[in-house]
Amino acid sequence: MPSTESEPPSGNIMEQIVSLAKRRGFVYQASEIYGGIRGFWDYGPLGVLLKNNIRDHWWRAMVECPPVGPDGSPIDMVGLDSAIIQHPNVWKASGHVDNFNDPMVDCRETKARYRADHLWTAAAQVRRKNGNVETLGVFSVLSGDDAGDLFVKRVDKIARKTGGGEVVAPTDFVPFTKLSPAEMAEVVGPDAAQKGTLTEPRPFNMMMISYNGPLQDEDNKVYLRPETAQGIFTNYKNVLDTTRVRVPFGIAQIGKSYRNEVTPRNFIFRSREFEQMEMEFFCPPDQSILWYEFWRDERMKWWKSLGIRADNLKFRDHDDDELAHYSKACVDIEYKYPFTSPDFGELEGIAHRGCFDLTQHQQHSSQKLDYFDQELQLKLKESGASPEDVKAKSRYIPNVIEPASGLTRAVLVLLCEAYRCESRSGVEKFEYFAFKPQLAPIKAGIFPLVNKDGMPEIAQKLYMDLRQQFTCEYDPKQSIGKRYARMDEIGTPFSITVDGQTKDDQSVTIRHRDSQLQERVALEKVSTFLTEKLKA
Ligand code: GAP
């Protein structure tokens, strides 16, 4: 039984990360004072800084300073910020209205709704005291690490009520989706008492609906975008017509997306509102594999540049039967999340989308979205191609390579990757985040050792200077040990202390979060020190 995306067992590392992230103001449950709202999260004072740092790092690496292309030339890349709500026909053309569905199973008895691919079934068998094995029925359970245990516990409870005996742990679970309708009718739902209350899987569209204008009727129905990508395709022609970019080039966008996920879970891994970082790279069809491989490698390099350990990341190539009919290839970059470990879960997808999206929008909008490749035309002419060949080949609908990742999922990955629990500061299990300095929400804490003898004045001046360039915090309260510990917890890489010696020799101590070692640095060199340390 697959255990990916299972709920973390209690007391595990994921619970500790979620708890530290909440305690220190990274991520809160949305509408918490009203009991929360499932699938929505708020990013607190430190969470928003961390998220913005990842966002800016991506934007810099993709838009402002994209990698050098496979031929050694700089890549053309521009940014975009399209509307969350678009014309409903965009989602008809993209296929989201008809195909963006999760097959769902409803339970008529409990009114619960399950994702069909999360339901697993097995025969519930008990060895009675006389040695006979009795089958109590076919029960279903939701996939997860603890699914087997839950199944056995449930059967045990029923066995006790019906004469006792020892539960025979199932050796094999069968996916609900693989059962025939007659077999489905025999299954007892995960929360039901009766058999036959589960419906056959039915499609459930995941787009969130709203209304455009005062009339809330079918004609005014609109969708909150389920991905940022379509806003890029619908602006492809605008960008070509209004900027100097030529194929091959990319358009990148970061923004919120919404999906009515049936089972939002694992903290911010799968939520109903989330942020994406997507780029559509438009290229000539005959260069598409070259660019696909290029972006596959570049994206993996980027994740490693965030300080993520190589053995926590891996590629997963999609099998042929997973690929959409128009796609030549697709690969996921996966991360070893605490709740998937030792397995991995999706972090980013890099898809070869062929000419599918632009062709669809061309058909549905009746606007020409092909591209005339003047350079290629010249090359073909020079190579002696026939006029027919030149005409046919130099006008085409570009192919698209799409690296698509989640910004909020990246926040989760960094929280998991940076989480440490070790003995330090006199505490046996001291928890802190060891973020890469460049991505840390706060770069430096600035403290007067004591609140007298001119130290606060010097420390405050240093803080006022440094905050022009770096996100810093000034903290004059509590013992210095407590202040260091607080900075460690939130992942601040440097703690700068003005002490008794500062007045004499104009130097401060700088304490490093990870090693806890301290060094003396001249006051006037602190800014250069931080600049050096915060380089990529
Ligand atoms: N345009 C292609 C696209 O949207 P996707 O695989 O559905 O592809 C891309 O989404 C990325 O967006 C995923 O790899 C994941 O990081 C993030 N993502 C998707 N659904 C999400 C959700 N419900 N919550 C958080 N992140 C999500």
Coordinates of all heavy atoms in Angstrom, one line a residue, residues 26 45-61 277 301-309 407 410-411 413-415 417-418 433-444 470-471 490-494 513 530 533-536:
F26 N 5.9 31.6 11.7 CA 6.0 31.3 10.3 C 4.7 31.1 9.6 O 4.4 31.7 8.6 CB 7.0 30.1 10.1 CG 8.4 30.4 10.3 CD1 9.0 30.3 11.6 CD2 9.3 30.8 9.3 CE1 10.3 30.6 11.8 CE2 10.6 31.1 9.5 CZ 11.1 31.0 10.8
P45 N 4.7 36.8 10.4 CA 5.8 37.8 10.1 C 7.1 37.1 9.6 O 7.8 37.7 8.7 CB 6.1 38.4 11.5 CG 4.8 38.2 12.2 CD 4.1 37.0 11.7
L46 N 7.5 36.0 10.1 CA 8.7 35.3 9.6 C 8.4 34.5 8.3 O 9.3 34.4 7.5 CB 9.4 34.4 10.7 CG 9.9 35.2 11.9 CD1 10.5 34.3 12.9 CD2 11.0 36.2 11.4
G47 N 7.2 33.9 8.3 CA 6.9 33.1 7.1 C 6.9 33.9 5.8 O 7.3 33.5 4.8
V48 N 6.3 35.1 5.9 CA 6.2 36.0 4.7 C 7.6 36.4 4.3 O 7.9 36.5 3.1 CB 5.3 37.2 4.9 CG1 5.8 38.2 5.9 CG2 5.0 37.8 3.6
L49 N 8.5 36.6 5.3 CA 9.9 37.0 4.9 C 10.6 35.8 4.2 O 11.2 35.9 3.1 CB 10.7 37.3 6.1 CG 10.4 38.7 6.8 CD1 11.2 38.9 8.1 CD2 10.7 39.8 5.8
L50 N 10.4 34.6 4.7 CA 11.0 33.4 4.1 C 10.4 33.2 2.7 O 11.2 32.9 1.8 CB 10.7 32.2 5.0 CG 11.3 30.8 4.5 CD1 12.8 30.8 4.4 CD2 10.8 29.7 5.5
K51 N 9.1 33.3 2.6 CA 8.5 33.1 1.3 C 8.9 34.1 0.3 O 9.2 33.8 -0.9 CB 6.9 33.1 1.5 CG 6.1 32.9 0.2 CD 4.8 32.3 0.6 CE 3.8 33.2 1.2 NZ 3.4 34.3 0.4
N52 N 9.0 35.4 0.7 CA 9.5 36.4 -0.2 C 10.9 36.2 -0.6 O 11.3 36.4 -1.8 CB 9.4 37.8 0.4 CG 7.9 38.2 0.5 OD1 7.0 37.6 0.0 ND2 7.7 39.3 1.2
N53 N 11.7 35.7 0.3 CA 13.1 35.4 -0.1 C 13.2 34.3 -1.1 O 14.0 34.4 -2.1 CB 13.9 35.0 1.2 CG 14.2 36.2 2.1 OD1 14.0 37.3 1.7 ND2 14.6 35.9 3.3
I54 N 12.4 33.3 -1.0 CA 12.4 32.2 -2.0 C 11.9 32.7 -3.3 O 12.5 32.5 -4.4 CB 11.6 31.0 -1.6 CG1 12.1 30.5 -0.2 CG2 11.6 29.9 -2.6 CD1 11.1 29.4 0.4
R55 N 10.8 33.5 -3.2 CA 10.2 34.1 -4.4 C 11.3 34.9 -5.2 O 11.4 34.8 -6.4 CB 9.0 35.0 -4.0 CG 8.3 35.7 -5.1 CD 7.5 36.8 -4.5 NE 8.4 37.9 -4.0 CZ 7.9 38.9 -3.3 NH1 6.7 39.1 -3.0 NH2 8.8 39.8 -2.8
D56 N 12.0 35.8 -4.4 CA 12.9 36.7 -5.1 C 14.1 35.9 -5.7 O 14.6 36.3 -6.7 CB 13.5 37.7 -4.0 CG 12.3 38.7 -3.6 OD1 11.3 38.7 -4.2 OD2 12.5 39.4 -2.5
H57 N 14.5 34.9 -5.0 CA 15.6 34.0 -5.4 C 15.2 33.4 -6.8 O 16.0 33.3 -7.7 CB 15.9 33.0 -4.4 CG 17.1 32.2 -4.6 ND1 18.4 32.8 -4.7 CD2 17.3 30.9 -4.8 CE1 19.3 31.8 -4.8 NE2 18.7 30.6 -4.9
W58 N 14.0 32.9 -6.9 CA 13.5 32.3 -8.1 C 13.4 33.3 -9.2 O 13.8 33.1 -10.4 CB 12.1 31.7 -7.9 CG 11.5 30.8 -9.0 CD1 11.7 29.5 -9.1 CD2 10.7 31.3 -10.1 NE1 11.0 29.1 -10.3 CE2 10.4 30.1 -10.9 CE3 10.2 32.5 -10.5 CZ2 9.6 30.2 -12.0 CZ3 9.4 32.6 -11.6 CH2 9.1 31.4 -12.4
W59 N 12.8 34.5 -8.9 CA 12.7 35.5 -9.9 C 14.0 36.0 -10.5 O 14.2 36.2 -11.7 CB 11.9 36.7 -9.2 CG 11.4 37.7 -10.2 CD1 11.9 38.9 -10.5 CD2 10.2 37.6 -11.0 NE1 11.1 39.6 -11.5 CE2 10.1 38.8 -11.8 CE3 9.3 36.6 -11.2 CZ2 9.0 39.0 -12.7 CZ3 8.2 36.8 -12.1 CH2 8.1 38.0 -12.8
R60 N 15.0 36.1 -9.5 CA 16.3 36.5 -10.0 C 16.9 35.4 -10.9 O 17.5 35.8 -11.9 CB 17.2 36.7 -8.7 CG 18.6 37.0 -9.0 CD 18.9 38.5 -8.6 NE 20.2 38.8 -9.1 CZ 20.4 39.6 -10.2 NH1 19.4 40.0 -10.9 NH2 21.6 39.8 -10.6
A61 N 16.8 34.2 -10.5 CA 17.4 33.1 -11.3 C 16.7 32.8 -12.6 O 17.3 32.2 -13.5 CB 17.4 31.8 -10.4
M277 N 5.2 29.1 -8.9 CA 6.3 29.8 -9.6 C 6.4 29.0 -10.9 O 6.8 27.8 -10.9 CB 7.6 29.7 -8.9 CG 7.5 30.1 -7.4 SD 9.1 30.2 -6.6 CE 9.4 28.5 -6.2
K301 N 19.5 22.2 -10.3 CA 20.6 23.0 -9.8 C 20.0 24.1 -8.8 O 20.6 24.4 -7.8 CB 21.4 23.7 -10.9 CG 22.5 22.9 -11.5 CD 23.3 23.7 -12.5 CE 23.6 23.0 -13.7 NZ 23.9 23.9 -14.9
W302 N 18.9 24.7 -9.3 CA 18.3 25.7 -8.5 C 17.9 25.3 -7.1 O 18.1 25.9 -6.1 CB 17.1 26.4 -9.3 CG 16.6 27.6 -8.5 CD1 17.1 28.8 -8.6 CD2 15.5 27.6 -7.6 NE1 16.3 29.6 -7.8 CE2 15.3 28.9 -7.2 CE3 14.6 26.6 -7.2 CZ2 14.3 29.3 -6.3 CZ3 13.6 27.0 -6.3 CH2 13.5 28.4 -5.8
W303 N 17.2 24.1 -7.1 CA 16.8 23.6 -5.8 C 18.0 23.4 -4.8 O 17.9 23.7 -3.7 CB 16.0 22.3 -5.9 CG 14.6 22.6 -6.4 CD1 14.1 22.4 -7.7 CD2 13.5 23.3 -5.8 NE1 12.8 22.8 -7.8 CE2 12.4 23.4 -6.7 CE3 13.4 23.9 -4.5 CZ2 11.2 24.0 -6.3 CZ3 12.2 24.5 -4.1 CH2 11.1 24.5 -5.1
K304 N 19.1 22.9 -5.4 CA 20.3 22.6 -4.6 C 20.8 24.0 -4.1 O 21.4 24.1 -3.0 CB 21.3 21.8 -5.4 CG 20.9 20.4 -5.6 CD 21.9 19.6 -6.3 CE 21.4 18.2 -6.6 NZ 22.2 17.5 -7.7
S305 N 20.7 25.0 -5.0 CA 21.2 26.3 -4.6 C 20.5 26.9 -3.3 O 21.0 27.9 -2.7 CB 21.2 27.3 -5.7 OG 19.8 27.8 -5.9
L306 N 19.4 26.3 -3.0 CA 18.6 26.8 -1.8 C 19.2 26.2 -0.5 O 18.7 26.4 0.6 CB 17.2 26.4 -1.8 CG 16.3 27.0 -3.0 CD1 14.9 26.6 -2.8 CD2 16.4 28.5 -3.1
G307 N 20.2 25.3 -0.7 CA 20.8 24.6 0.5 C 20.2 23.3 0.8 O 20.4 22.7 1.8
I308 N 19.4 22.8 -0.2 CA 18.8 21.4 0.0 C 19.8 20.3 -0.3 O 20.4 20.4 -1.4 CB 17.5 21.3 -0.9 CG1 16.6 22.4 -0.6 CG2 16.9 19.9 -0.6 CD1 15.4 22.5 -1.5
R309 N 19.9 19.4 0.6 CA 20.9 18.3 0.4 C 20.5 17.5 -0.8 O 19.4 17.1 -1.1 CB 20.9 17.4 1.6 CG 21.8 18.0 2.7 CD 21.8 17.1 3.9 NE 21.5 15.7 3.7 CZ 21.0 14.9 4.6 NH1 20.6 15.3 5.7 NH2 20.8 13.6 4.3
L407 N 5.5 27.7 -4.7 CA 6.3 28.5 -3.8 C 6.0 28.2 -2.3 O 6.9 28.1 -1.5 CB 5.9 30.0 -4.0 CG 6.5 31.1 -3.1 CD1 8.0 31.0 -2.9 CD2 6.1 32.5 -3.5
A410 N 7.7 25.1 -1.5 CA 9.1 25.4 -1.3 C 9.4 25.9 0.1 O 10.4 25.5 0.8 CB 9.6 26.4 -2.3
V411 N 8.4 26.6 0.7 CA 8.5 27.1 2.1 C 8.5 25.8 3.0 O 9.4 25.7 3.9 CB 7.4 28.0 2.5 CG1 7.4 28.3 4.0 CG2 7.4 29.3 1.7
V413 N 9.4 22.8 2.2 CA 10.7 22.1 2.0 C 11.8 22.7 2.8 O 12.6 22.1 3.5 CB 11.1 22.0 0.5 CG1 12.5 21.6 0.3 CG2 10.1 21.0 -0.2
L414 N 11.9 24.1 2.8 CA 12.9 24.7 3.5 C 12.8 24.6 5.0 O 13.8 24.4 5.7 CB 13.0 26.2 3.1 CG 13.7 26.5 1.8 CD1 14.2 27.9 1.7 CD2 14.9 25.6 1.5
L415 N 11.5 24.6 5.5 CA 11.3 24.4 6.9 C 11.8 23.0 7.3 O 12.4 22.8 8.3 CB 9.8 24.6 7.3 CG 9.2 26.0 7.2 CD1 7.7 26.0 7.5 CD2 9.9 26.9 8.2
E417 N 13.9 21.0 5.7 CA 15.4 20.9 5.4 C 16.2 21.6 6.5 O 17.2 21.1 6.9 CB 15.7 21.5 4.1 CG 17.1 21.3 3.6 CD 17.4 19.8 3.2 OE1 16.5 19.0 2.9 OE2 18.6 19.5 3.1
A418 N 15.7 22.7 7.0 CA 16.5 23.5 8.0 C 16.2 23.1 9.4 O 17.0 23.5 10.3 CB 16.1 25.0 7.8
F433 N 15.9 26.4 13.2 CA 16.0 26.3 11.8 C 17.3 26.8 11.3 O 17.7 28.0 11.5 CB 14.9 27.2 11.1 CG 13.5 26.7 11.3 CD1 12.6 27.4 12.1 CD2 13.1 25.4 10.8 CE1 11.3 26.9 12.2 CE2 11.8 24.9 11.0 CZ 10.9 25.7 11.7
A434 N 18.1 26.0 10.6 CA 19.4 26.3 10.1 C 19.3 26.7 8.6 O 19.7 26.0 7.7 CB 20.4 25.2 10.3
F435 N 18.5 27.8 8.3 CA 18.4 28.2 6.9 C 19.7 28.7 6.3 O 20.6 29.2 7.1 CB 17.4 29.4 6.8 CG 16.0 29.2 7.3 CD1 15.5 29.9 8.4 CD2 15.2 28.3 6.7 CE1 14.3 29.6 8.9 CE2 13.9 28.0 7.2 CZ 13.5 28.7 8.3
K436 N 19.8 28.5 5.0 CA 21.0 29.1 4.3 C 20.9 30.6 4.6 O 19.8 31.2 4.5 CB 20.8 28.8 2.8 CG 22.0 29.3 2.0 CD 21.8 28.8 0.6 CE 22.9 29.5 -0.2 NZ 23.0 29.0 -1.6
P437 N 22.0 31.3 5.0 CA 21.9 32.7 5.4 C 21.1 33.6 4.4 O 20.3 34.4 4.8 CB 23.4 33.1 5.5 CG 24.1 31.9 5.9 CD 23.3 30.7 5.2
Q438 N 21.4 33.4 3.1 CA 20.7 34.2 2.1 C 19.2 34.1 2.2 O 18.5 35.1 1.8 CB 21.2 33.6 0.7 CG 21.0 34.6 -0.4 CD 21.2 33.8 -1.7 OE1 21.3 32.6 -1.7 NE2 21.1 34.6 -2.8
L439 N 18.6 33.0 2.6 CA 17.2 32.8 2.7 C 16.6 33.0 4.0 O 15.3 33.1 4.2 CB 16.8 31.4 2.2 CG 17.2 31.1 0.7 CD1 17.2 29.7 0.4 CD2 16.4 31.9 -0.3
A440 N 17.4 33.2 5.0 CA 16.9 33.3 6.4 C 16.0 34.6 6.5 O 16.3 35.6 5.9 CB 18.1 33.4 7.4
P441 N 14.9 34.5 7.2 CA 14.0 35.7 7.3 C 14.7 36.9 7.9 O 14.6 38.0 7.4 CB 12.9 35.2 8.2 CG 12.9 33.7 8.2 CD 14.4 33.3 7.9
I442 N 15.5 36.7 9.0 CA 16.2 37.7 9.6 C 17.7 37.4 9.5 O 18.1 36.3 9.8 CB 15.9 37.8 11.1 CG1 14.4 37.9 11.4 CG2 16.6 39.0 11.8 CD1 13.7 39.2 11.0
K443 N 18.5 38.4 8.9 CA 19.9 38.1 8.7 C 20.7 38.3 9.9 O 21.7 37.5 10.1 CB 20.4 39.0 7.6 CG 19.6 39.0 6.3 CD 19.5 37.7 5.6 CE 18.7 37.8 4.3 NZ 17.9 36.7 4.0
A444 N 20.4 39.2 10.7 CA 21.2 39.5 11.9 C 20.4 40.1 13.0 O 19.5 40.9 12.8 CB 22.4 40.5 11.5
F470 N 20.0 45.1 5.2 CA 19.6 43.8 5.6 C 18.4 43.8 6.5 O 18.2 44.7 7.2 CB 20.8 43.1 6.4 CG 22.2 43.4 5.7 CD1 23.0 44.4 6.2 CD2 22.6 42.6 4.6 CE1 24.2 44.6 5.6 CE2 23.8 42.8 4.0 CZ 24.6 43.8 4.5
T471 N 17.7 42.6 6.5 CA 16.6 42.5 7.4 C 17.2 42.1 8.8 O 17.7 41.1 9.0 CB 15.6 41.4 7.0 OG1 15.4 41.5 5.6 CG2 14.3 41.5 7.7
I490 N 14.7 30.9 15.2 CA 14.1 31.4 14.0 C 15.0 31.4 12.8 O 14.7 31.8 11.7 CB 13.5 32.9 14.2 CG1 14.6 33.9 14.5 CG2 12.4 32.8 15.3 CD1 14.1 35.3 14.5
G491 N 16.3 30.9 13.0 CA 17.2 30.7 11.9 C 18.0 31.8 11.5 O 18.6 31.9 10.4
T492 N 18.2 32.8 12.4 CA 19.0 34.0 12.1 C 20.5 33.6 12.1 O 21.0 33.1 13.1 CB 18.8 35.1 13.2 OG1 17.4 35.4 13.2 CG2 19.6 36.4 12.9
P493 N 21.2 33.8 11.0 CA 22.6 33.2 10.9 C 23.6 34.0 11.8 O 24.6 33.4 12.2 CB 22.9 33.3 9.5 CG 22.0 34.3 8.9 CD 20.8 34.3 9.7
F494 N 23.4 35.3 12.1 CA 24.4 36.0 12.8 C 23.8 36.9 13.9 O 22.7 37.5 13.7 CB 25.1 37.0 11.8 CG 25.7 36.2 10.6 CD1 25.1 36.4 9.4 CD2 26.8 35.4 10.8 CE1 25.6 35.6 8.3 CE2 27.3 34.7 9.7 CZ 26.7 34.8 8.5
R513 N 25.3 31.2 14.0 CA 24.3 30.3 14.5 C 24.7 28.8 14.6 O 24.4 28.2 15.6 CB 23.1 30.5 13.6 CG 21.9 29.5 13.9 CD 20.9 29.5 12.7 NE 21.6 29.0 11.5 CZ 21.3 29.2 10.2 NH1 20.3 30.1 10.0 NH2 22.0 28.7 9.2
L530 N 28.6 41.0 6.5 CA 27.3 40.5 6.1 C 27.1 40.3 4.6 O 26.7 39.3 4.1 CB 26.2 41.3 6.7 CG 26.0 41.3 8.2 CD1 24.8 42.2 8.7 CD2 25.7 39.8 8.7
K533 N 29.0 37.2 3.5 CA 28.4 36.0 4.0 C 27.0 35.7 3.3 O 26.6 34.5 3.3 CB 28.1 36.0 5.5 CG 29.4 36.1 6.3 CD 30.1 34.8 6.4 CE 31.4 34.9 7.2 NZ 32.4 33.9 6.9
L534 N 26.4 36.8 2.8 CA 25.1 36.5 2.3 C 25.1 36.4 0.7 O 24.1 36.3 0.1 CB 24.1 37.7 2.6 CG 23.9 37.8 4.1 CD1 23.1 39.1 4.4 CD2 23.1 36.6 4.6
K535 N 26.3 36.3 0.2 CA 26.4 36.1 -1.2 C 25.9 34.7 -1.5 O 26.0 33.8 -0.8 CB 27.9 36.2 -1.7 CG 28.3 37.6 -2.0 CD 29.7 37.6 -2.7 CE 30.1 39.0 -2.8 NZ 31.6 39.1 -2.8
A536 N 25.3 34.5 -2.7 CA 24.7 33.2 -3.1 C 25.7 32.1 -3.0 O 26.9 32.2 -3.2 CB 24.3 33.3 -4.6

